[in-house]
Each structure stands twice: as C-alpha cells, then as structure tokens.
Amino acid sequence: MNIKGSNIILECLKEQGVDTVFGYPGGQIMPLYDALYDYQDSIKHILTSHEQGATHAADGYARSTGKVGVAFATSGPGATNTVTGIATAFMDSIPMVVITGQVPVALIGRDSFQEVDITGVTIPVTKHNFFVGNIENLAECIREAFRIAKSGRPGPVLVDVPKDIMTQFYDYEPQEIVVKESVENLFDEDDIESLASKIRKSERPLIYAGGGVIIAGASEKVIRLAEKADIPVVSTLMNLGAIPRNHRLSLGMVGMHGEKEANQAVHNADLLIAIGARFSDRVTGDVSRFASGAEIIHIDIDNSEVDKNVNVDQSLVGDMNLILDKLLPLIGSKKNDEWLAKIDSFRRERNIGEDDFVAENIFRVIEEVLGDDIIVATDVGQHQMWTAQYWPFKAPRQNITSGGLGTMGFGLGAAIGAQIANPDKRVIHITGDGSFRMNCNELATVSAQDLPIITILFKNNVLGMVRQWQKLFFEKRYSSTTLPDVIDYVKLAEAFGLGGAKVSTLDGLKKALTGAAANGRGNVITCDIDTNNDVFPIVPPGNAMNDQVVSADDL
C-alpha cells in the first residue's frame, strides 16, 4: 500500500494489537488525528483533559493489563506535558509508547512555533526514543518502539514524528506483531543448585519480592517457592498483590512505612532472597545496616541493578520464570515454625476504636461495601501509604500506584486507563486533597467517557506527608503545607456531571459508597479526616529499617 505516514503509524499500531490510545490533538500532530478519523472502528481514542493525564492513563492501562500503553501528543508544550508521565512509567518499568508530533523537518532548529527537542528532553526518562527524520524509517521506528518497550525490563519509548513526515506517501507492508526479545540468562545450573542448598540450610529465610515479580507474571511461582520452603514474604510497594495479603506467609509491605514485622524480619533473617526488586532507598534505609545478618541473593532481569544499591553475595540474572522453574524441583518441603513464631512476635498492636474515622476503618468499610476484587489506583502521599498498609490486595495488577517517582496527580488518569482497559472491573481512586487538586481536571474525562470510577478523597486540608515530616523532623515549622479550605468537592463533582458526597463518619461513608456503587456513574466521596492522623510506622531518615517509630506514643 502506498499511504501517508500518518496512516503508516496507525497501521503499525493495529499490527501491534493496539485498540486504545489516549491523547490530546494539536497543530503538529493534526495529520495523525485526521487519519485517525478513518480508524474509529478499530482504534478507540480517549480524549483526556491534559497530556499528562493521557500518559498517566496509558500507564494505568499498561499496569492493569501488562499490555503496552499508547499516548499521543502534539509538539512543544504538548510534548513537554508528557514528561512527568513518561518519567513515572520509566521509574516503575511500565511498557508505554508515546508518539509526539513535531514541526516539519525544514523548520527544526529554527526556534519554530511550538518546537521543542523532545527526544533530547526525554533521554534520561525513556528506555529509548526515536526522531523520525525520513519517511522510510517510520514503520520500523514504530515497530522497534513496541519491541523495546515490552522486551527485557519494560519501559517507555517516545517516537517524535515531524508533521511533514506524516503527510508524505510511502509504501507500507504489514508485518506480524513484534515479539519480545529473548532474555540473556547470566546464570548456570551450579548457581541454581547453590541457591537451593542455601534455602535448605537456612533457619531464617526471607523472600523480598518487588514489582518485577508482577511484570514477569511470576507471582504464582514465587508463592509456590514460599509455600514449599515455608519462607515468609515481604513486599515492596510495587509488589503488593503478588501474594495475597491474607496469606499466612505474607508480611505485607517492607520499608519506610512498612509493617513492623516485615522490617524486623529483614533485620533478623539469615538468608534474604530478593526477587524482582531493586533495593530502593525507601526499602533499605541505612544501607550499611540493611539485612546485616543475612546472606543476600538477588534474582533480577536487569544486570545493572546487581550491586547498585546493596552489595549481594550471589546474583542470578535472567528470566525469572526460568530461574524459578529450575529452582522449585530442587527445594524440599520444610517447616520454619520457630522463625515464623519469632516474626509473629514482632507485630504491632493497633489501638483504634471500631467507630473511629481513620484510614484503617475507612478501608474496612470500602471492602465491606465494594468487596476486594477491585482495582485500586492511588495518588501519592499519606493516603497512598495507608492504602498499601490496609487494603487487602489479593492479586497482581490490582495496585496501580506511582512508586519510584512518587507522582502526585497520577491516580485519576491511571484510574481512567485501568477502567478503560477493564470495563467489567470496579476501579476506585484513592487520593488526598493535595494530589487531587493537581489533576482533578480529568474528572471531565471520567464524565465524558461515562466511567463508574469512585474517587475516595482523604481531606485533611494539608499536604499530609510533607506536614508529617515537618512535625517529626522540622520542629513543627509548618511552612506552606496548609491548603486553603476553599473547594467544595461535592459541587466540583456535580459540576462535572458526577455524583458527590461529603462524609465524616463510617456510617455516612457506607451510605455514600452504597449509593455510588448503585448509580453506575463516576463519584467523588470526600472523607473529612483529622489533620493529625499520621502514617505509622515510619523509619526516620538515615535510620536502619528496624529502627521504626511505630506510633505517635513513641515520639
């Protein structure tokens, strides 16, 4: 076929199985949107309120499905508005392809209207990016973008296409969908046997599981390893759901706001098996005292992560599923009753009244009304950590949150992407008033697309996490963290054609949730909580992970 470059792009997207894109049109990407007019039956375009919302939606689509998310944006400010969303995906290894329009080739480098070197801007936050300067390279660049985005350790790829390239004609020949590249395995049978031997001999083994477990689709194998060798599991924020939270071997989240028993288990382990985790500073704290009594094994797909943050005793780099397939037959069944009893003794007491309007009870009511078979998208702050601590994630890809970059304003766009990708699933959005103010404009997308997303807004009139740090570590000097209480969120929701409610009791919340679940449209439920409700446990900066402040009474 001899077709325009804009049509080549869309034909390549169809090749890759893309049926949904998120975006916002503009001058230099107009030819692509003009061509899209003829593809409405095969490619659904979701018009968001902002390009950042489009990238977060593509990200949420990818996180909830494992597929590559796709976003469109025009040049200049349209392209730069995608950077935060691209960086968010990059930090959490999310497969995404962003296609941006660019000024015509002859105008590049002349400070033309809405010209930005977006490939230069995004080099640090993309797995790879392409500038398409010749029409003959266009199809191959699109195909390569998908191959790179989903192969090995996934990540975002940007393709920048000048406007005149989109309007030129060129021969296009369909190809098969791009498959993932095979993974280079940097281990041998002796490495597998060595690890199996260490597990057999260990008296206090611990699995430290990260987001790579979910990305690899290896959750069930990690659970089988844990069950067979009776090994407890601590999870990073990105791994929540890989092992059901109510599993007897699940210790919940590890790290700065992790469970006491999880952090103490790391400190007391004699063998720590890190699987698909990168030893983030939010997990390790003082590196010199992290798992100081344990032999550390690192299983990962990315060799660059080995010894980057924590020096390990053994590494197995390669296909996680292959490693686990080879390891499992070599592990005999064993029991670690004494070790599990010791961990159980570390658990903290939770002294709250059953009617107190606090996070733990709020999540209990949400589960009672909506069940736990739902997708939870969060923004970033105290509400994010409460979600990680109290929501009973039971399956992979239920937890949609910004881990590495910690992007406030991520949640609503991500919820939109997750809901579009999973129309038969209940999607809720957990946010705080600080995060919600950043991208609440995407309520227009929720309304326009008739999405039944329920936003639960933890409203305390402050930037909660920052204020908590000011309270604990900056002598209560509350500088610029109080939010003026000038927004009526019920009216705001109603202005977008959505349902709204404001509650301050558990009974009120139950009633509002029941109504929201029944009406089948988007809703915003504002929960008025006490400004002084803080996130505990917390590990003060510079401390070892076992040196936690477990409650306000410890201060």
Side-chain angles (χ1 to χ4, degrees):
M1 292 187 292
N2 189 259
I3 56 177
K4 289 182 180 179
S6 55
N7 292 80
I8 290 175
I9 293 172
L10 296 173
E11 289 294 333
C12 286
L13 293 185
K14 287 177 62 179
E15 274 180 16
Q16 304 310 312
V18 174
D19 57 15
T20 304
V21 298
F22 304 87
Y24 204 95
Q28 305 305 333
I29 203 169
M30 272 191 203
L32 183 57
Y33 275 87
D34 180 65
L36 187 62
Y37 188 89
D38 295 323
Y39 287 76
Q40 295 177 61
D41 292 340
S42 55
I43 298 178
K44 182 178 183 179
H45 179 270
I46 306 298
L47 177 64
T48 57
S49 296
H50 192 280
E51 292 89 353
Q52 184 178 339
T55 51
H56 290 331
D59 183 316
Y61 183 98
R63 289 181 199 245
S64 64
T65 63
K67 300 177 182 178
V68 179
V70 181
F72 292 168
T74 194
S75 67
T80 57
N81 281 344
T82 69
V83 173
T84 297
I86 293 170
T88 301
F90 180 74
M91 290 291 283
D92 291 342
S93 303
I94 305 303
M96 185 163 72
V97 171
V98 177
I99 298 173
T100 54
Q102 183 57 275
V103 301
V105 172
L107 296 180
I108 289 174
R110 299 175 181 271
D111 292 333
S112 303
F113 178 67
Q114 292 193 333
E115 179 195 357
V116 165
D117 177 13
I118 194 61
T119 54
V121 169
T122 58
I123 284 173
V125 293
T126 51
K127 190 176 176 185
H128 193 78
N129 62 29
F130 296 92
F131 171 77
V132 184
N134 297 288
I135 184 70
E136 56 263 34
N137 297 329
L138 179 57
E140 184 60 24
C141 285
I142 298 296
R143 292 167 180 146
E144 276 289 284
F146 277 84
R147 180 189 63 79
I148 292 169
K150 63 187 179 181
S151 294
R153 180 179 182 173
V157 179
L158 180 135
V159 184
D160 194 37
V161 187
K163 186 176 184 178
D164 56 329
I165 300 298
M166 295 187 207
T167 58
Q168 293 175 24
F169 284 82
Y170 195 73
D171 289 335
Y172 163 78
E173 292 187 11
Q175 292 187 9
E176 296 296 319
I177 188 170
V178 173
V179 297
K180 293 183 181 181
E181 280 186 342
S182 59
V183 175
E184 183 179 9
N185 293 306
L186 305 178
F187 65 90
D188 56 29
E189 299 300 325
D190 288 342
D191 293 321
I192 300 291
E193 175 54 47
S194 174
L195 175 54
S197 176
K198 290 170 183 174
I199 292 173
R200 290 193 296 266
K201 294 176 182 177
S202 171
E203 295 180 354
R204 300 185 306 280
L206 185 68
I207 293 172
Y208 154 46
V213 173
I214 292 175
I215 292 170
S219 302
E220 291 185 6
K221 292 175 184 177
V222 171
I223 294 172
R224 283 168 53 199
L225 173 63
E227 290 177 341
K228 191 171 185 181
D230 209 27
I231 306 175
V233 180
V234 299
S235 295
T236 67
L237 176 65
M238 303 310 300
N239 183 68
L240 296 176
I243 178 171
R245 184 63 186 93
N246 63 359
H247 193 288
R248 70 179 187 85
L249 293 173
S250 173
L251 305 185
M253 187 172 69
V254 66
M256 177 173 284
H257 294 293
E259 297 294 349
K260 180 184 176 184
E261 60 268 30
N263 284 8
Q264 290 291 343
V266 172
H267 183 69
N268 286 273
D270 64 5
L271 178 67
L272 184 70
I273 307 167
I275 307 178
R278 60 186 180 87
F279 296 93
S280 160
D281 57 293
R282 283 297 176 105
V283 167
T284 63
D286 181 353
V287 173
S288 68
R289 291 184 282 170
F290 177 76
S292 56
E295 188 169 6
I296 301 176
I297 314 299
H298 194 180
I299 299 172
D300 204 273
I301 197 172
D302 187 353
N303 194 38
S304 70
E305 290 294 343
V306 175
D307 294 330
K308 185 175 81 173
N309 295 326
V310 171
N311 291 326
V312 302
D313 298 287
Q314 181 185 0
S315 63
L316 291 86
V317 175
D319 184 330
M320 186 187 303
N321 284 283
L322 178 62
I323 293 169
L324 293 172
D325 283 340
K326 290 179 174 293
L327 178 64
L328 279 164
L330 303 180
I331 304 296
S333 297
K334 61 180 291 193
K335 290 292 182 182
N336 293 308
D337 293 339
E338 289 186 13
W339 173 223
L340 292 170
K342 183 177 179 66
I343 290 173
D344 197 54
S345 71
F346 296 139
R347 299 184 189 276
R348 63 184 171 119
E349 293 184 6
R350 291 181 169 90
N351 298 314
I352 62 168
E354 63 178 21
D355 294 325
D356 291 349
F357 199 62
V358 295
E360 187 169 359
N361 286 337
I362 288 172
F363 283 111
R364 173 174 55 80
V365 171
I366 295 172
E367 183 186 3
E368 286 176 2
V369 177
L370 302 179
D372 61 5
D373 187 23
I374 61 178
I375 295 172
V376 182
T378 82
D379 279 293
V380 171
Q382 289 178 315
H383 64 275
Q384 179 191 33
M385 294 298 100
W386 286 324
T387 305
Q389 291 174 343
Y390 301 131
W391 187 256
F393 291 105
K394 70 174 187 178
R397 304 196 180 280
Q398 288 184 324
N399 176 36
I400 312 296
T401 196
S402 170
L405 197 64
T407 306
M408 294 177 68
F410 167 81
L412 187 52
I416 289 168
Q419 187 70 84
I420 293 289
N422 302 272
D424 297 328
K425 280 271 192 182
R426 167 70 66 188
V427 176
I428 66 171
H429 167 222
I430 307 293
T431 189
D433 37 359
S435 287
F436 191 55
R437 292 178 185 216
M438 290 193 170
N439 280 339
C440 63
N441 54 347
E442 293 301 340
L443 289 177
T445 311
V446 173
S447 183
Q449 296 296 325
D450 197 24
L451 303 176
I453 295 168
I454 299 176
T455 290
I456 312 293
L457 170 62
F458 284 80
K459 179 177 177 289
N460 56 8
N461 301 316
V462 293
L463 299 176
M465 189 61 83
V466 184
R467 186 181 188 277
Q468 179 173 337
W469 276 58
Q470 289 175 337
K471 178 193 294 186
L472 300 181
F473 311 124
F474 291 87
E475 300 178 343
K476 298 183 179 180
R477 292 162 61 89
Y478 300 127
S479 175
S480 302
T481 48
T482 299
L483 298 173
D485 190 14
V486 296
I487 300 176
D488 185 328
Y489 292 103
V490 174
K491 289 183 179 178
L492 179 69
E494 291 173 347
F496 283 104
L498 306 175
K502 181 178 180 179
V503 299
S504 56
T505 66
L506 296 177
D507 285 342
L509 175 60
K510 187 172 185 178
K511 181 179 179 180
L513 282 169
T514 301
N519 67 27
R521 58 175 175 156
N523 285 264
V524 177
I525 300 174
T526 303
C527 297
D528 279 330
I529 63 170
D530 193 309
T531 299
N532 293 307
N533 284 353
D534 291 325
V535 179
F536 291 103
I538 182 172
V539 177
N543 281 26
M545 279 298 151
N546 59 304
D547 294 334
Q548 291 176 291
V549 177
V550 177
S551 71
D553 295 335
D554 295 336
L555 297 174

